[in-house]
């Protein structure tokens, strides 16, 4: 089946921007032209591809098509790279990935930066919880993702990366509060102190309470700080207890446990999160270089 590139561009731009008007501006064509091209594409495929509302969304069939478009563009970029002479002035290529914030700032970015510079790769990073990054790959928005899910999607490959070990940390004043609460309260003391969460998708605190204290569906106060620096500042300031990976303590915030700015509130207790790198089986040469860099970085820094 031969698909019209202009129709595909109109559809992809509409989903990416969220509206036909924004897509028209991006493509520098009229609103009517965008609408006509998408309708023609839907007619050619015999499927409804777009949900037209306040925000334009792809249908299930549309998501499949978006994945095809993303993969085709990568293969075309790879072909252009192979056909053109390799010169210092060759074009940069943008690759999109979905990574959890803890990985991105600690081992992922430092581990791939040499490859980005050497191979002229521009990284478009999408930050999401490790349980939800797979959805970005499934929707065709990214070419690879770091996730805790082991099973690959159809047409994808999953590489085990290693394990991030999280410990419950807090400011020294929190350690004193815990000791006082343990003397006066029959309920687990940690439930009386606010937890620090990245966002509402962040379930790591629940998992820690479940695995370490056998507390299921526990109710406790929570702060939300969807930025790594703010999260860490809140923890060091004594606002609450948080979970920090050993690789973060080693690479991002070195010396804080040794100097006592942060303390391990429950020595010997931890939660392990196994991570995997998922990518499409058919990937461009640049994407393959990124995959190699990600795997090497993880093996150098994570627990095998």
């Amino acid at each position: 089946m031969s698909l019209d590139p202009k129709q595909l561009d109109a559809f992809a731009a509409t989903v990416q921007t969220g509206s036909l008007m924004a897509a028209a501006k991006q493509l520098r064509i009229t609103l009517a032209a965008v609408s006509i091209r998408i309708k023609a594409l839907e007619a050619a495929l015999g499927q409804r591809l777009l949900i037209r509302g306040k925000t334009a969304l792809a249908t299930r069939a549309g998501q499949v098509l978006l994945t095809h478009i993303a993969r085709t563009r990568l293969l075309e970029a790879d072909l252009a790279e192979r056909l053109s002479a390799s010169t210092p002035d060759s074009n940069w290529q943008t690759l999109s990935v979905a990574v959890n914030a803890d990985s991105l700032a600690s081992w992922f970015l430092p581990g791939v930066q040499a490859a980005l510079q050497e191979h002229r790769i521009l990284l478009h990073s999408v930050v999401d919880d490790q349980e939800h990054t797979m959805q970005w790959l499934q929707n065709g928005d990214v070419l690879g993702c770091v996730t805790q899910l082991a099973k690959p999607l159809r047409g994808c490959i999953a590489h085990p990366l290693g394990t991030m070990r999280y410990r419950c940390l807090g400011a020294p004043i929190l350690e004193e509060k815990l000791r006082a609460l343990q003397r006066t309260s029959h309920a687990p003391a940690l439930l009386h102190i606010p937890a620090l969460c990245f966002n509402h998708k962040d379930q790591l605190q629940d998992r820690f309470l479940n695995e370490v204290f056998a507390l299921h569906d526990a109710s406790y106060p929570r702060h939300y700080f969807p930025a790594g620096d703010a999260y860490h500042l809140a923890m060091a300031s004594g606002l609450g207890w948080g979970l920090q990976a050993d690789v973060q303590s080693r690479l991002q915030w070195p010396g804080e446990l040794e100097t006592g700015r942060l303390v391990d509130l429950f020595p010997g207790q931890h939660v392990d999160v196994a991570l995997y790198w998922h990518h499409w089986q058919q990937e461009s040469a640049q994407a393959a270089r990124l995959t190699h860099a990600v795997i090497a970085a993880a093996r150098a820094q994570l627990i095998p």
Side-chain angles (χ1 to χ4, degrees):
M1 178 183 294
S2 178
L3 300 176
D4 188 320
K6 292 183 178 180
Q7 294 174 4
L8 295 176
D9 287 344
F11 171 66
T14 299
V15 177
Q16 180 184 23
T17 61
S19 74
L20 276 72
M21 179 64 74
K25 290 181 180 180
Q26 178 176 301
L27 297 174
R28 297 183 180 180
I29 58 178
T30 65
L31 175 63
V34 173
S35 181
I36 290 171
R37 290 178 184 180
I38 293 176
K39 288 180 179 177
L41 182 60
E42 289 178 323
L45 293 174
Q47 301 252 18
R48 186 184 181 193
L49 303 174
L50 200 65
I51 300 173
R52 294 166 173 80
K54 187 174 182 181
T55 300
L57 300 172
T59 63
R60 185 177 296 274
Q63 291 175 355
V64 173
L65 180 60
L66 283 173
T67 299
H68 167 78
I69 294 171
R71 294 169 67 182
T72 299
R73 286 176 175 175
L74 281 174
L75 292 174
E76 288 174 347
D78 184 40
L79 176 61
E81 180 189 4
R82 292 173 183 272
L83 292 176
S84 65
S86 179
T87 67
D89 297 325
S90 60
N91 291 332
W92 292 74
Q93 184 178 348
T94 299
L95 302 180
S96 299
V97 298
V99 188
N100 59 307
D102 295 345
S103 291
L104 184 63
S106 59
W107 63 268
F108 187 95
L109 183 54
V112 304
Q113 63 181 6
L116 302 183
Q117 294 169 337
E118 179 183 355
H119 301 297
R120 300 178 69 80
I121 298 171
L122 299 175
L123 200 64
H124 179 188
S125 304
V126 175
V127 176
D128 207 340
D129 187 85
Q130 59 266 16
E131 294 183 34
H132 300 273
T133 49
M134 181 82 85
Q135 189 64 45
W136 294 88
L137 181 64
Q138 187 173 22
N139 292 345
D141 297 315
V142 300
L143 59 85
C145 70
V146 174
T147 175
Q148 70 178 49
L149 304 177
K151 185 178 180 180
L153 298 168
R154 184 177 180 181
C156 291
I157 298 174
H159 301 276
L161 294 177
T163 297
M164 292 184 73
R165 176 161 292 172
Y166 287 83
R167 303 183 192 275
C168 183
L169 306 184
I173 190 173
L174 244 61
E175 191 173 34
E176 299 172 11
K177 288 182 179 179
L178 279 172
R179 289 173 181 170
L181 286 167
Q182 286 167 351
R183 291 194 297 267
T184 60
S185 174
H186 295 292
L190 205 59
L191 299 183
H192 296 286
I193 298 176
L196 304 177
C197 303
F198 189 77
N199 56 29
H200 289 276
K201 295 179 180 178
D202 189 359
Q203 302 296 317
L204 202 55
Q205 293 71 19
D206 289 339
R207 182 175 167 187
F208 178 80
L209 291 172
N210 186 5
E211 293 186 11
V212 175
F213 299 103
L215 295 172
H216 307 280
D217 300 321
S219 177
Y220 53 95
R222 312 179 195 211
H223 290 295
Y224 292 95
F225 295 101
D229 289 345
Y231 184 99
H232 183 265
L233 178 61
M235 188 161 52
S237 301
L239 279 179
W241 59 274
L243 294 172
Q244 183 168 292
D246 288 351
V247 66
Q248 292 179 282
S249 298
R250 188 173 68 252
L251 299 180
Q252 273 185 279
W253 318 107
E256 296 207 321
L257 288 170
E258 291 77 6
T259 60
R261 187 177 185 221
L262 288 175
V263 296
D264 188 343
L265 298 175
F266 299 94
Q269 305 292 347
H270 58 262
V271 170
D272 287 345
V273 177
L275 296 178
Y276 301 83
W277 171 251
H278 292 243
H279 65 88
W280 296 110
Q281 288 178 348
Q282 293 181 326
E283 60 177 0
S284 69
Q286 294 289 62
R289 292 176 182 126
L290 179 62
T291 287
H292 178 78
V294 170
I295 295 172
R299 289 178 178 171
Q301 300 296 346
L302 301 185
I303 301 171

